[in-house]
Amino acid sequence: MSSRLWHFHGGLHLPGHKAESTSLPITSMPVATQLIVPLQQHIGAAAHLLVEVGQKVLKGEPIARPEGVVSAAIHAPSSGTITAIEPHKIPHPSGLPDLCVFIDTDGEERWCERTPLANAETADADSLRRHIQASGIVGMGGAGFPSHLKLNPGEYAVNTLILNGAECEPYITCDDMLMRERPAQILQGARLMCRALAARQVIIAIEDNKPEALAALRTEAARATTSNIEIIAIPTLYPTGGERQLIKVVTGQEVPSKGLPVEIGVVCHNVATAAAVYRAVELGEPLVSRIVTVTGEQVPQPRNLEIAFGTPLQAVLDYCQVEDGTDNSILMGGPMMGLPLTDSQTPLVKTSNCLLIRPHEKKPSAQPCIRCGACAGVCPAQLLPQQLYWHARAKAYDRIQDFHLFDCIECGCCDAVCPSHIPLVDYYRFAKTEIWAQEREKKVADLARERHEFREFRLQREKEERAARHAQKKKAVSSDDASADEAKKAAIQAAMERAKAKRNSNAATAKNTDNLTAAQKQQIEEADQRRARVKENSGDND
Amino acid sequence: MLSAILVLTVIAVVFGLLLGFAAIRFKVEGDPIVDQIDSLLPQTQCGQCGYAGCRPYATAMANDEADINQCPPGGETVILALADLLGKDPKPLSEEHGVEKPKMVAVIDEQTCIGCTLCIQACPVDCILGAGKQMHTVIEKECTGCELCLPPCPVDCILMVEVGSDPQSWKWPYPEQKEVQP
């Protein structure tokens, strides 16, 4: 198998600072009185809320289910009552609030009914993946990518599953302590993952500055009679723990730019993820806590603690008796890639591997680039950091992508060696988020264009329809004109004729002069004569 | 001499026919440059540029009738992209056409709305929902923030609200230029 190791380009030898926090065993931190559990603790869509305010929850009870495929479930980290569901600051560079579930813990740590996967030893890959997704397992190395997706090779055949125990960043020792104390869990998890992927072999890669972890895993692995699991020591060099760098070191293969490791038959998972998979599948425990290294010069006793998700930063600081100080710089993660935390109520999440508390150091102000090329020499992704910097500075987003900006893993090596102290990674992050925002805006613009064009089309269509309707009505009126006139004329004619006939008939038959007696005729005659006389007289008078 | 003239004439005729055929056979429908410009514009359809929508403005730019700095919603990004595409020098946004503002969406105060449908007729992307004497509402996802619905509203019940960013859409700020000149 792979006795030979390779090298990746660049990298840095950094002072380890690991011994400080490995003197004490892993301890479970007592649960805080209030837990603040964000619904977004992973890459992908935020989980869909399942609970409401006032509800009582037990430890391990699902409080949010995965929304879509690229998402992970969230479980109550301890038993208690939900007091609020509202936005709260989450550990994110933006410092913006996001929806969180507030749980007032009862301190009893009562578990809900734990359901291990039935027939875990024979279960098929699909049911393993479903169980892992339902258990809320995400990459514990720092990225937080939902693990069930990385355990689904799809059309590709997986040759090697690499378990990443490199833990290359200074100060962080949570994986180291896990490997020392719980090697069996890691190996069990590795076997389950290996089955889900149908991988041929498993390689657990550990930096050679962790001899205790290497020994513990090797002893544990030796107990199995047949095994396709190999444990190898790799040279200590930052950032060996980067997925692509580790694959290069272990297999000699390069993951294509814009490609995924699975395309070359390799899948990489963190050792802590393997342990979490074991606990979820075999013990039925969803992911509700993790091991966090609390270290740095300001921590009286650096150590590794098992901390429930949602524990506010302040609770950890109090437990570790860190003195309050405004000049403390608190990083979530290591000194190279860590995220500065400013709010003491920020909760710890699934990806919080370390709390590094050091005295605040003022960064020297940036000087102009002298084009020394030191950054290109250390870049583990073989990029040209200087070119990326120029283009990011000039906001030339097309050209910066020609220099493979998105292959940058933001490891901070270029930052660390820059003699001008230019915040290079900040420029790359700025350019990346700007390009993503432009892509989003483009989609919105395309939708608006489509809707606007449809509206134009609709208005045109309505106009034509109206015109057509008018034309039809007009036509109907004009074609009716002739016949209508005739009908009218005929009607008038008929009416006139009726009137005429009536008149004639009236004249012909004066009904009250029929059948008169002789005396009556006499009277009429006399009246006529009188009338004639009067007429004559009046005529004379005129 | 004569044969040379003949040969040249034949060549000229052959190429002329070829070009003529190509002009007919490979004719491009519409103006591709207008499409390219249009695809860079933000499609707000607000008319702040002085044209009746993004496409008319794109057409005007393609015909060299309009300048590249008349689109306030697009702002600096669009000006830079247009300058790049059209090979012109970027210039600051023309002030008479407006100022660059953060992205807004229209929100109808549903208590005040009288259901007159005037805003529905004004909306260039058909994103207001409602009917006569019925309360109207804005489909926020599709609102471009063009503000064209504001003037027709007889009761001033439409407000422009800034779209706040969430952690997913947040953008890393431009690193401060603290460089000390030597």
Side-chain angles (χ1 to χ4, degrees), chain A residues 40 92-94 96 365-366 368 389 393 427 429-430 433-434 437-438 440 442 445 448-449 451-452 455 458, chain B residues 38-39 42-43 45 77 121 123-126 142 144 165 167-175 177-180:
Chain A
Q40 175 101 49
H92 188 272
S94 66
L96 288 171
S365 59
Y389 162 63
R393 230 183 101 144
Y427 278 96
R429 287 173 173 154
F430 156 75
T433 50
E434 198 67 34
Q438 280 188 7
R440 276 196 305 273
K442 180 114 188 72
R449 182 186 298 113
R451 289 189 66 90
H452 180 66
R455 178 188 148 90
R458 177 176 68 79
Chain B
D38 193 42
S39 73
Q43 304 302 321
Q45 317 293 352
T77 326
Q121 293 162 39
C123 178
V125 289
D126 279 344
E142 292 174 357
T144 63
S165 67
Q168 281 76 48
S169 66
W170 174 81
K171 291 194 284 185
W172 203 277
Y174 190 72
Q177 296 277 337
K178 282 187 294 192
E179 287 183 22
V180 184

